[in-house]
Amino acid sequence: MKVAAVDAKDDGHGHGSEKEDDGHGHGAELPEGVVELGEAKVRAAGIALAKAGASTLREELQLNGIVQANQEAVVQVTPRFPGVVRTLSKRLGDQVKKGDLLAVVESNQSLTTYELRAPMAGVITERQASLGEYVSEQKPAFVITDLSTLWVDFSVYRRDLAKVKIGEIVRIDPEDGGEPIEARISYLSPIGAADTQSAVARAVIANDGRFRPGLFATGAVATAEQSVPLAVSIDAVQSLEGRDVVFVREGDRFAARDVTLGRRDGRSVEVVTGLKGGESYASRNSFVVKAELAKGSASHEH
């Protein structure tokens, strides 16, 4: 199907080449390259709208990282005297408050009992004590971790170390389908790892539930920036018969608009021709609009 002009044209005999819409979307043939999607369908499909406008493109250094517990918020609870665990109040994974009872230990020396209590709030991430088991000051019975903040440790190869500095913003993506978050590099390891020939760059983030220790995350640090007068989201651009198009919102319709693209980064792409500033377009899930357009074309062919 050829995507041509999106407006109906007169055929030279006083009749429009396309029927006018009746205002309700019933019985009217749409121009080529146009699909009708009401607000309810747009919301249901998760299509996001944005306005085309000026933007700043960023050349970015891509980094691979791993989420870890904040090691400055970890405490080990060690028995004061060797003895036998008589009662256990908390299990692995339990949330505890400061002062909560963890266990009761009977001392081997005095045969009296004493309590192990949580010195801070957090989550029990290790438990080395079992009921009736002998414990001593040689190893912790519990490890409590405050997971309200997390570390994201990125590996930076030697050739890129000069591009990453403390205080720089890193855009972190947990790759869960949501939007990345931004944080600042707070630590750059002065010692590299011999096996990977890389050093650690660390960001501290608030734990909003999207990040879990042990899982991977990716990061992006801007190494250069340039302003462009008009840009759209990269996700907005679709290929239609070999041409780049952006779906522009016009009332309850989307119109496929041919565009010429220029510079780009990981999120946005410059539009040289085809769009005007302030025009509303499908910035996310634009492939749904393309699919609806294809369905409409197939129905006309039959």
Side-chain angles (χ1 to χ4, degrees):
M1 180 191 77
K2 182 180 179 181
V3 178
V6 297
D7 294 319
K9 300 295 183 181
D10 190 83
D11 62 3
H13 300 285
H15 301 287
S17 59
E18 304 289 352
K19 294 180 182 179
E20 291 295 328
D21 186 67
D22 61 2
H24 302 282
H26 302 297
E29 189 173 338
L30 296 174
E32 280 192 87
V34 176
V35 62
E36 188 156 4
L37 284 176
E39 289 300 322
K41 286 187 177 181
V42 168
R43 288 194 299 269
I47 300 170
L49 301 176
K51 290 187 182 297
S55 182
T56 300
L57 305 182
R58 298 161 31 127
E59 291 181 16
E60 295 179 328
L61 173 65
Q62 300 297 319
L63 302 172
N64 293 317
I66 188 167
V67 182
Q68 302 198 65
N70 184 339
Q71 295 302 309
E72 295 176 350
V74 177
V75 65
Q76 297 180 341
V77 183
T78 304
R80 297 192 302 275
F81 310 105
V84 176
V85 178
R86 292 306 182 193
T87 64
L88 274 175
S89 301
K90 299 296 180 181
R91 296 180 295 179
L92 188 67
D94 283 354
Q95 292 270 357
V96 297
K97 298 178 182 177
K98 183 178 180 179
D100 279 357
L101 179 65
L102 303 177
V104 174
V105 179
E106 181 182 275
S107 170
N108 280 358
Q109 295 175 339
S110 64
L111 299 183
T112 59
T113 59
Y114 65 91
E115 298 175 336
L116 290 180
R117 292 187 175 270
M120 72 173 193
V123 177
I124 296 178
T125 51
E126 290 184 39
R127 196 189 79 171
Q128 302 294 334
S130 299
L131 194 62
E133 185 180 55
Y134 173 80
V135 293
S136 74
E137 65 276 18
Q138 299 302 313
K139 68 175 184 178
F142 298 88
V143 175
I144 299 174
T145 306
D146 179 0
L147 294 176
S148 61
T149 61
L150 299 170
W151 286 354
V152 185
D153 284 355
F154 297 102
S155 296
V156 184
Y157 292 109
R158 179 168 54 185
R159 64 178 180 272
D160 297 320
L161 283 172
K163 301 175 184 177
V164 181
K165 296 179 174 58
I166 291 177
E168 284 191 313
I169 292 177
V170 56
R171 193 161 51 88
I172 306 172
D173 188 354
E175 300 181 333
D176 60 356
E179 289 293 318
I181 68 165
E182 288 189 348
R184 291 188 181 275
I185 300 294
S186 60
Y187 169 81
L188 193 57
S189 172
I191 300 174
D195 54 345
T196 61
Q197 289 296 292
S198 65
V200 170
R202 176 176 299 146
V204 182
I205 62 172
N207 185 0
D208 61 359
R210 297 176 61 196
F211 296 83
R212 290 177 182 267
L215 299 185
F216 293 118
T218 59
V221 175
T223 57
E225 295 184 346
Q226 53 185 334
S227 297
V228 295
L230 191 64
V232 296
S233 163
I234 276 189
D235 293 337
V237 180
Q238 294 291 330
S239 178
L240 210 56
E241 296 185 348
R243 301 193 312 281
D244 293 320
V245 301
V246 170
F247 289 102
V248 177
R249 187 67 164 163
E250 298 176 349
D252 281 344
R253 300 175 176 183
F254 284 100
R257 187 81 61 78
D258 288 3
V259 292
T260 304
L261 304 177
R263 297 162 289 181
R264 66 180 64 204
D265 61 15
R267 293 179 295 173
S268 303
V269 56
E270 179 185 17
V271 177
V272 180
T273 63
L275 283 184
K276 295 179 182 178
E279 287 192 295
S280 181
Y281 68 95
S283 61
R284 190 177 70 233
N285 286 351
S286 61
F287 64 88
V288 177
V289 185
K290 179 181 176 181
E292 289 291 327
L293 189 61
K295 285 196 297 187
S297 173
S299 66
H300 286 132
E301 291 174 1
H302 296 288

